[in-house]
Amino acid sequence: SSGGHRIPESSGGHRIPEPGFCQHSWSEWVQGTLSEGSGQQGEGEISVEEALALGPDSCRVRFRSKLSLSVHAFCVIKEGGQAALRVEVEGELSLQPWFQLAGRAAVLSLYKSARAHFSAGDDLKALEKCEESLVVADGLCPRPKEMGDALQLLGALHLRRKNLALAVKCLERALVVRKMLAPKEESALAATLLALGSAYVETGSYTDALRCHQLAVNILEEQENGESPALASAYHGLAGVHRALGSHGHALQFYKKCLEHREAKLGESHPLLISVLNNLGAASQQLSMHREAVKYYQRAVELETTHYGAEHATTAATLANLGAAHGQLKEHRCAVTCLARALEVQEQTCGKEHPSVATTLHNLGNSLAGAGKGHDAAKCHWRALRIWYQSVGPAHPDIAATLHSLGNVYRGLLDPIAAAKCFEGALRIREVALGPTHPETARTRHCAALVGCALGEQQTALQELQAAVNSLMSSLGTKHPWSLQAKIDIDALRAAALGA
């Protein structure tokens, strides 16, 4: 070997001599080995300086071989006229050493490379480096704690590529590895729990997701007296799972905690507050807290206008939500102003046939009807229906919702025949898509019964209205506004029938 030192062989190249193998120090050995020069550095190769700094436990030396031969042929004439051929061969074999990372250092280096490719959006290269890192880690004893990082990154890669089963498998293994190899690194454990919870959300396993997010929140709340930078994101994720499970009260609670934490850390005008404010508005609407929703949406619009601009699609979407919240409060002029402006921006940014445009048209139609502009409202609903038919098909619940609203518009315009046709179509879709006793189905049945009564079909209307009352009271309770209104209407119809 170059430099006069014997190198032990191994199946994976040449390992660095163990301490005491030769009389020289690591530094002397490296410098002696490289006395003839190491050539140009290639992929996976580290410099001499890095090898000297890392030491023998983190490096592996390899050699490039080069064989040079020169052949000389001579014709020799012997006595008697006989000829003979003499061939002389001279050769030189040179070994050119180079160094490669080994052990835990190799795992860490490959993981960092995978992370860089992941950040750059090169998923295939990131997968390759991540899997190489795990192969090296699997061969070490004891296994390095960085194995948990590599598994978590591999899970994130599969999640981004929508390989959900593989993502969950990798993240579940990452959690086990972290608990075994680095149980005291609680921040890393919480990060893995949050990543696994997100994967469970993608697969629809909300109960498992709730467990993971709650454990992560518990860990982070105990760290630094609840001052961990990751705690706000953990609150946000936990709130999202509660919202998916229909626990809007709990969702509101944790969205508020997230907002408080981010305001304390980032200030009251940071762009990271925007998503929290929008989710607070949505959760408030689910709880019929429409005045609170208006406050959250107004603040979100202000931040979006500052950071994204008034003509941005995100700003328009929030403005549309703000208009819908005003509509729920019967503040129809404010609602129309917000929704008309949102519609203008959405048509410019998303296109006139985009589903988001249909949603805004639907809400704008409702607000115009509330403002007494029934004909304009009908135009909005008809245009929304055309977009829905093209984008989601004829039997989608969104079409049923718009037909229901259009039926109410025609009721206000004193056109019971047109209203009856709209309610009939909405009821047919909702009975199939939602079920015959769903509150939305019962609400449409209620309105259809009132129109039927106006058309002189009192007996059928009473039967349909009674079915609606039963469904609403069993699903929403006797104190819900829909249940109360249905009860008032059926009592009025019965009184009118008795009077007749």
Side-chain angles (χ1 to χ4, degrees):
S1 65
S2 177
H5 304 297
R6 181 164 57 89
I7 307 298
E9 294 183 357
S10 72
S11 60
H14 298 287
R15 284 202 174 275
I16 300 306
E18 298 292 336
F21 182 82
C22 60
Q23 296 179 351
H24 301 276
S25 68
W26 166 247
S27 177
E28 292 171 334
W29 190 89
V30 171
Q31 291 171 349
T33 302
L34 299 177
S35 59
E36 297 183 5
S38 62
Q40 197 170 25
Q41 190 168 322
E43 185 179 0
E45 184 173 348
I46 61 173
S47 66
V48 176
E49 291 77 12
E50 289 175 301
L52 287 169
L54 288 168
D57 293 332
S58 299
C59 299
R60 188 187 301 275
V61 67
R62 297 181 181 274
F63 292 91
R64 300 183 184 93
S65 60
K66 182 179 180 182
L67 178 63
S68 300
L69 295 176
S70 59
V71 181
H72 303 280
F74 303 91
C75 184
V76 180
I77 307 299
K78 297 183 179 180
E79 294 181 3
Q82 294 179 338
L85 181 65
R86 187 177 74 188
V87 179
E88 294 180 358
V89 180
E90 295 180 356
E92 180 181 349
L93 175 64
S94 63
L95 296 176
Q96 196 175 72
W98 59 286
F99 289 90
Q100 186 182 45
L101 289 173
R104 180 182 174 188
V107 175
L108 186 57
S109 176
L110 288 164
Y111 166 72
K112 288 181 177 179
S113 176
R115 190 83 196 176
H117 287 300
F118 178 82
S119 299
D122 189 350
D123 288 359
L124 292 178
K125 197 67 177 178
L127 281 169
E128 176 188 332
K129 293 298 178 183
C130 215
E131 288 169 352
E132 286 180 18
S133 175
L134 289 169
V135 168
V136 176
D138 272 331
L140 299 178
C141 187
R143 289 174 177 171
K145 63 180 183 179
E146 289 80 10
M147 189 175 182
D149 297 325
L151 281 165
Q152 183 170 329
L153 179 58
L154 187 59
L157 277 162
H158 285 306
L159 190 60
R160 189 158 78 178
R161 294 169 64 83
K162 301 301 180 183
N163 297 324
L164 302 182
L166 285 174
V168 169
K169 185 177 180 180
C170 290
L171 291 166
E172 285 176 341
R173 190 181 173 204
L175 186 62
V176 171
V177 167
R178 288 208 190 280
K179 289 179 178 179
M180 290 176 58
L181 302 180
K184 294 183 178 181
E185 294 187 5
E186 293 184 334
S187 295
L189 186 62
T192 303
L193 282 165
L194 290 173
L196 180 56
S198 298
Y200 281 138
V201 167
E202 291 293 323
T203 62
S205 304
Y206 296 115
T207 303
D208 291 327
L210 183 65
R211 173 178 50 82
C212 289
H213 278 86
Q214 187 64 66
L215 286 171
V217 165
N218 293 345
I219 291 171
L220 294 171
E221 283 182 333
E222 292 178 2
Q223 285 188 325
E224 306 171 23
N225 296 320
E227 296 298 317
S228 171
L231 183 56
S233 296
Y235 282 143
H236 197 268
L238 181 57
V241 178
H242 276 299
R243 185 177 170 189
L245 288 168
S247 302
H248 300 293
H250 287 103
L252 189 68
Q253 171 191 347
F254 287 108
Y255 281 136
K256 285 182 177 179
K257 286 189 174 184
C258 176
L259 182 65
E260 292 170 3
H261 200 277
R262 283 187 175 167
E263 284 178 331
K265 295 290 182 182
L266 305 173
E268 296 186 353
S269 59
H270 197 278
L272 281 179
L273 270 59
I274 292 172
S275 62
V276 191
L277 288 165
N278 275 310
N279 284 324
L280 276 165
S284 298
Q285 280 189 287
Q286 289 289 340
L287 294 168
S288 298
M289 299 167 58
H290 303 297
R291 181 62 62 194
E292 294 297 314
V294 164
K295 293 178 182 178
Y296 291 127
Y297 286 138
Q298 283 177 334
R299 190 174 166 199
V301 167
E302 291 172 2
L303 290 178
E304 287 166 344
T305 303
T306 299
H307 293 285
Y308 307 142
E311 307 298 320
H312 197 277
T314 302
T315 309
T318 305
L319 198 58
N321 289 334
L322 175 59
H326 276 301
Q328 292 291 337
L329 291 168
K330 310 299 182 184
E331 298 170 350
H332 300 299
R333 288 186 179 180
C334 291
V336 168
T337 300
C338 292
L339 290 162
R341 177 59 185 147
L343 180 64
E344 182 182 348
V345 176
Q346 286 174 330
E347 287 178 332
Q348 293 173 356
T349 57
C350 305
K352 293 186 177 182
E353 304 301 317
H354 194 274
S356 64
V357 171
T359 300
T360 302
L361 283 165
H362 171 98
N363 291 329
L364 179 58
N366 288 342
S367 294
L368 286 167
K373 299 180 179 180
H375 293 290
D376 291 335
K379 291 177 183 178
C380 288
H381 286 312
W382 276 116
R383 189 180 161 201
L385 283 173
R386 284 194 293 271
I387 297 172
W388 287 134
Y389 272 110
Q390 293 173 2
S391 59
V392 298
H396 195 274
D398 286 336
I399 288 180
T402 303
L403 282 170
H404 179 102
S405 293
L406 185 57
N408 279 325
V409 169
Y410 282 127
R411 281 179 66 199
L413 292 172
L414 304 179
D415 189 347
I417 295 176
K421 291 180 180 178
C422 292
F423 288 129
E424 181 184 352
L427 186 60
R428 185 167 55 248
I429 293 172
R430 282 180 165 172
E431 283 183 328
V432 173
L434 306 176
T437 60
H438 191 277
E440 298 284 352
T441 308
R443 182 69 165 164
T444 300
R445 195 184 305 280
H446 174 189
C447 293
L450 295 179
V451 171
C453 186
L455 291 171
E457 302 169 356
Q458 283 83 1
Q459 189 62 36
T460 302
L462 277 171
Q463 292 175 355
E464 288 293 291
L465 192 48
Q466 184 61 61
V469 169
N470 294 341
S471 297
L472 290 168
M473 288 192 170
S474 63
S475 58
L476 301 178
T478 58
K479 296 183 180 180
H480 192 277
W482 288 5
S483 303
L484 293 172
Q485 187 61 53
K487 186 69 168 60
I488 290 171
D489 288 341
I490 196 170
D491 288 344
L493 284 178
R494 283 173 176 164
L498 289 174

